[in-house]
Amino acid sequence: MRRRRILSYLLVIWMTFLLAFPLTSAFASSKVYHIPIHNEVERGLHAFLERAFKEAEENNAEAIILDIHTPGGFVNAAGDIAMLMDATDIRKIAYINKDAHSAGAFLALHADEIYMVPNGTIGAAAVIDSAGNAADLKAHSAWVAQMEAAAESKKRDPKYARAMADVSVDLPEFRAGEGNLLTLSASEAEKVGYSDGTVSNFQDLLKATQIDERDIVPIEPTFAEKLARFITNPIIVPILLSIASLGLVVELYSPGFGVPGIMGLSALGLFFFGHMVAGLAGYETLLLFIVGLALVIAEFFVPGGIVGILGGALILLSLILAGANMMQMIIAIFIAFVVAIIGMVILMKFFGKKLHVLNKLVLMDATTTEEGYVSNVNRTELLGKVGKAITPLRPAGTMLFGSERIDVVSEGGYVDAGNHVEVIKVEGSRIVVRRTEKEMEE
């Protein structure tokens, strides 16, 4: 019995030792994180990779395998991801599982090792602007330098990295004569030292890198991260803002608050959700938008217009600050504004809609004659009648017509009292007369 108790104590001490000392880290250090880099390289991808790298570091991972298949993407996002890769000491393996073009090639060059599938390619990394045209000289020069630096940092010949981004480099032996960008096949990349080997599949990669299959930890983007990647795409942003502006415009022409307003606010909510998950916008940007929206709503109760203008300015500022690129956001907002104007024109011209919201801001009722309202008597029956000026007309004065005294205005000149005058014009309460030789009617 005593012996069993001693063994129990020893077992507890041994378990405590296992939990207290870094033997768990030894197990964790054998983990290899398998992280996909697919589709476009953009800010949403950076947010996902930031989470994945942090998790790998916290668990003392042995290596990170980046499964790359991308046509490229945005230079600023690629630069941030490259900084993320350089900041970790974990072994980084780029597995080019088909194509690593443009920003994808740039990221692959930041890996410690590169492996490619037989039909994989790497290169074609010229920087282009948002319109699809070649970037200006300043941006081009900076990008070429970054490509060369990425190759040099991993002891690769920078000549080929430069040829991937600069058409002036002449490498005819790789179909990259002057005027063409360099794109290397798997065998060519291995030949020039831009690949450490060609593997048929992921299992072959594990054998080539001496990684046990049981150590692989697959990391996939969450639903929120996938949604953020979709929402923050520069093509989707103007569409989302256009839906928001159109929905809110239609709501202005509708009584009460209904589906169009919900649609508009939902689009704006998605915009901020995606940009906050991607790390582009913070709570202060969202707060700025909420304050702006509150001021616009307050304009319905506080006349003057200043509050509404300030609120609109804050909303625009919050949208611009939330974007990855200020100029792209300004263009997206302009597109949404044009869509809103077109929507207003269609609603008014083709559907005869009226701006119901103005009923709370502006008095829309009119006291027209057609509705029985008369501000003064229109004495059109006096036209052509002759009366006598009983006061001098300088030019205003009084005339006598029958037994009625009428305030009149002479056509221009002075008319002395006692002269006959003829009514030549009646404009509401303004009666214009002219001196005449006609006799006054009795």
Side-chain angles (χ1 to χ4, degrees):
M1 187 72 177
R2 184 180 176 186
R3 188 177 176 184
R4 188 179 297 175
R5 188 181 299 169
I6 292 172
L7 288 174
S8 299
Y9 285 150
L10 288 174
L11 182 60
V12 170
I13 292 170
W14 176 244
M15 292 298 294
T16 304
F17 178 81
L18 288 178
L19 293 173
F21 290 91
L23 207 55
T24 21
S25 339
F27 286 118
S29 66
S30 66
K31 292 180 179 177
V32 175
Y33 280 70
H34 180 204
I35 305 172
I37 298 181
H38 296 165
N39 303 320
E40 276 195 326
V41 175
E42 29 65 36
R43 289 292 305 185
L45 175 64
H46 173 264
F48 160 62
L49 291 177
E50 188 173 34
R51 175 180 67 83
F53 272 58
K54 183 179 179 181
E55 185 176 328
E57 289 175 342
E58 289 175 348
N59 290 312
N60 299 314
E62 177 188 345
I64 294 174
I65 298 176
L66 297 172
D67 193 320
I68 301 176
H69 176 44
T70 172
F74 298 90
V75 171
N76 54 355
D80 290 341
I81 294 171
M83 289 176 62
L84 199 64
M85 295 174 65
D86 294 340
T88 181
D89 295 327
I90 300 174
R91 177 188 178 194
K92 297 174 288 292
I93 302 168
Y95 171 46
I96 300 179
N97 189 12
K98 189 63 175 73
D99 299 318
H101 295 166
S102 192
F106 176 69
L107 296 180
L109 292 177
H110 279 271
D112 302 309
E113 304 163 50
I114 300 176
Y115 290 85
M116 301 175 65
V117 294
N119 61 342
T121 56
I122 180 174
V127 61
I128 58 175
D129 59 22
S130 56
N133 302 314
D136 57 40
L137 291 176
K138 182 178 177 181
H140 172 73
S141 176
W143 177 246
V144 171
Q146 289 180 59
M147 287 288 293
E148 289 183 323
E152 289 174 343
S153 67
K154 302 301 177 183
K155 305 294 188 270
R156 300 183 180 103
D157 190 342
K159 174 178 69 175
Y160 301 103
R162 182 178 185 88
M164 291 177 180
D166 189 352
V167 294
S168 66
V169 180
D170 189 18
L171 293 174
E173 65 273 27
F174 296 112
R175 305 167 310 284
E178 190 170 349
N180 294 313
L181 295 172
L182 173 64
T183 300
L184 296 172
S185 66
S187 58
E188 291 169 340
E190 194 171 352
K191 179 180 178 181
V192 301
Y194 271 47
S195 171
D196 295 278
T198 302
V199 294
S200 299
N201 49 48
F202 189 70
Q203 300 302 321
D204 286 349
L205 172 70
L206 298 182
K207 293 177 184 177
T209 53
Q210 298 180 343
I211 294 174
D212 193 327
E213 183 179 353
R214 292 171 297 180
D215 296 331
I216 298 298
V217 179
I219 301 293
E220 292 292 336
T222 63
F223 173 76
E225 288 167 339
K226 289 179 180 178
L227 185 61
R229 288 192 65 179
F230 176 76
I231 290 171
T232 56
N233 189 300
I235 297 174
I236 300 301
V237 169
I239 295 175
L240 204 59
L241 293 181
S242 296
I243 292 173
S245 64
L246 191 60
L248 294 176
V249 162
V250 173
E251 186 61 43
L252 292 176
Y253 285 86
S254 305
F257 189 83
V259 175
I262 294 172
M263 180 181 71
L265 292 179
S266 298
L268 288 173
L270 281 173
F271 170 84
F272 279 101
F273 168 79
H275 285 74
M276 289 179 73
V277 170
L280 296 170
Y283 286 106
E284 67 283 353
T285 310
L286 180 60
L287 181 62
L288 197 66
F289 173 80
I290 292 172
V291 171
L293 184 62
L295 290 176
V296 171
I297 295 173
E299 179 61 32
F300 297 122
F301 308 98
V302 181
I306 302 299
V307 174
I309 293 172
L310 180 60
L314 290 179
I315 290 174
L316 291 177
L317 181 61
S318 68
L319 293 174
I320 292 172
L321 293 177
N325 183 286
M326 182 176 292
M327 185 52 63
Q328 288 178 351
M329 279 307 304
I330 291 174
I331 293 172
I333 292 171
F334 177 75
I335 292 172
F337 179 75
V338 171
V339 169
I341 294 297
I342 293 173
M344 291 177 70
V345 171
I346 291 174
L347 287 171
M348 289 189 294
K349 293 293 184 182
F350 296 96
F351 294 95
K353 295 286 186 178
K354 293 183 179 180
L355 204 56
H356 287 277
V357 73
L358 287 182
N359 291 338
K360 298 181 180 179
L361 303 177
V362 181
L363 180 63
M364 304 298 290
D365 296 330
T367 54
T368 61
T369 304
E370 290 78 4
E371 296 181 357
Y373 295 95
V374 180
S375 59
N376 53 70
V377 179
N378 197 355
R379 302 294 301 277
T380 54
E381 76 279 2
L382 295 175
L383 283 171
K385 302 296 183 180
V386 177
K388 181 186 290 185
I390 58 175
T391 65
L393 306 184
R394 302 191 179 91
T398 305
M399 67 171 280
L400 183 66
F401 178 70
S403 59
E404 184 182 3
R405 296 166 62 92
I406 302 172
D407 293 328
V408 296
V409 178
S410 71
E411 189 180 26
Y414 172 81
V415 178
D416 202 359
N419 288 311
H420 290 116
V421 291
E422 181 182 2
V423 178
I424 60 171
K425 188 184 299 183
V426 176
E427 298 174 337
S429 61
R430 185 170 180 265
I431 300 172
V432 183
V433 298
R434 177 191 301 160
R435 183 178 174 180
T436 182
E437 297 299 329
K438 295 179 181 178
E439 292 295 329
M440 185 176 65
E441 297 179 7
E442 295 298 335

